[in-house]
Amino acid sequence: MSSQPDLEQLQRRIGYQFKAPERLLLALTHRSFGNQNNERLEFLGDSIVNMVIAEYLYLHFEKAREGQLSRLRARMVKGVTLAEIGREFELGKYLRLGSGELKSGGFRRESILADAVESIIGAIYLDSDFETCRQQVLRWFEQRLENLDLQDTQKDPKTRLQEYLQSRQFPLPRYDVISVDGEAHAQTFHVSCALPSLDRKTSGVGSSRRIAEQQAARNALKELGVEND
């Protein structure tokens, strides 16, 4: 959130030292800050992260079909996952944003955090080479990739819950934010999922509203006996 962020501190957080720190500064610059911004780096980083994750999945899931690989990749490179990585780096406090975005809380917005992560990946590639960038991406995604399995290609909990209720002609669930804890750049959301027709309510917790809603929906499916732990 500063025009002069602490680049040394951020480089330690992300685990990469730039030969040309101005590339990292550009990667942190949102379009609201000025004409010289990270949009082009985001374009480059998006292509790189898709390629790196696709290669990893191809090599590690030899029996997976194309559709399964595509869904696994989508799970890894979607905005919410990239934003989570951004929050782990506390990226929000390093971003350069225009006054309007600052006032509206842009430093914690999922889309801005996700775009900045992709921009940093693009900047690392330009600052080094593809192999160095590849290793960096895999290091950032390491834990998430290790926890993947082919069952992760199924529909997400909110979609499964919605389809279950619709098939029985029940009203759709209602999601409400109960509370939001923590600092602006590292918030925890508490969300409820109410099923009016079934007089049931479950809760979920996550680093974003979307993640908390998915957990609440998963808990609702368990309450309904549709899914097990």
Side-chain angles (χ1 to χ4, degrees):
M1 296 184 294
S2 168
S3 59
Q4 293 297 327
D6 188 340
L7 297 183
E8 284 298 324
Q9 184 183 65
L10 179 57
Q11 287 174 104
R12 289 193 296 270
R13 287 183 183 277
I14 66 176
Y16 179 82
Q17 191 75 28
F18 277 82
K19 302 181 187 70
E22 61 270 20
R23 290 193 174 111
L24 176 58
L25 189 64
L26 183 61
L28 298 169
T29 306
H30 186 257
R31 65 177 176 271
S32 62
F33 191 85
N35 291 330
Q36 293 295 317
N37 55 63
N38 63 8
E39 287 186 325
R40 285 169 55 83
L41 284 174
E42 175 203 338
F43 165 79
L44 183 59
D46 174 70
S47 299
I48 293 168
V49 73
N50 271 277
M51 168 59 195
V52 171
I53 298 301
E55 179 192 47
Y56 176 94
L57 296 173
Y58 179 85
L59 295 174
H60 285 77
F61 293 94
E62 295 180 357
K63 296 182 179 180
R65 298 185 299 276
E66 183 274 338
Q68 291 176 304
L69 292 172
S70 294
R71 286 188 287 274
L72 284 174
R73 181 180 61 180
R75 177 186 173 96
M76 284 292 97
V77 304
K78 64 184 179 181
V80 63
T81 304
L82 292 165
E84 286 172 5
I85 292 173
R87 289 192 188 94
E88 290 167 6
F89 294 144
E90 297 187 5
L91 201 55
K93 68 181 184 180
Y94 301 99
L95 296 175
R96 297 206 297 175
L97 304 170
S99 58
E101 283 293 350
L102 277 174
K103 290 176 183 177
S104 65
F107 54 88
R108 59 174 175 264
R109 188 168 299 136
E110 265 186 16
S111 60
I112 290 179
L113 289 170
D115 291 349
V117 170
E118 290 179 331
S119 299
I120 293 173
I121 291 169
I124 291 173
Y125 169 73
L126 293 177
D127 196 69
S128 56
D129 52 51
F130 181 78
E131 183 56 29
T132 300
C133 188
R134 175 178 169 274
Q135 293 300 326
Q136 196 70 34
V137 171
L138 292 176
R139 188 154 49 243
W140 292 1
F141 281 84
E142 183 178 14
Q143 185 176 359
R144 291 171 174 84
L145 290 169
E146 288 178 352
N147 291 334
L148 276 182
D149 60 51
L150 290 182
Q151 290 192 359
D152 288 317
T153 62
Q154 63 185 337
K155 295 174 181 176
D156 65 81
K158 285 183 67 175
T159 300
R160 297 198 300 274
L161 178 60
Q162 178 176 315
E163 291 179 351
Y164 174 87
L165 295 172
Q166 286 178 326
S167 69
R168 289 157 179 78
Q169 298 184 329
F170 291 146
L172 295 180
R174 187 184 72 249
Y175 298 93
D176 295 302
V177 176
I178 303 169
S179 64
V180 182
D181 305 324
E183 298 295 327
H185 60 274
Q187 293 182 318
T188 299
F189 289 77
H190 300 259
V191 170
S192 68
C193 172
L195 309 178
S197 60
L198 302 175
D199 194 28
R200 292 174 183 266
K201 183 179 286 189
T202 58
S203 61
V205 180
S207 58
S208 71
R209 177 172 180 169
R210 187 181 307 176
I211 293 173
E213 288 179 351
Q214 295 287 11
Q215 186 182 95
R218 184 178 293 108
N219 289 335
L221 290 166
K222 292 175 184 176
E223 285 281 324
L224 293 169
V226 179
E227 294 184 7
N228 299 318
D229 291 326

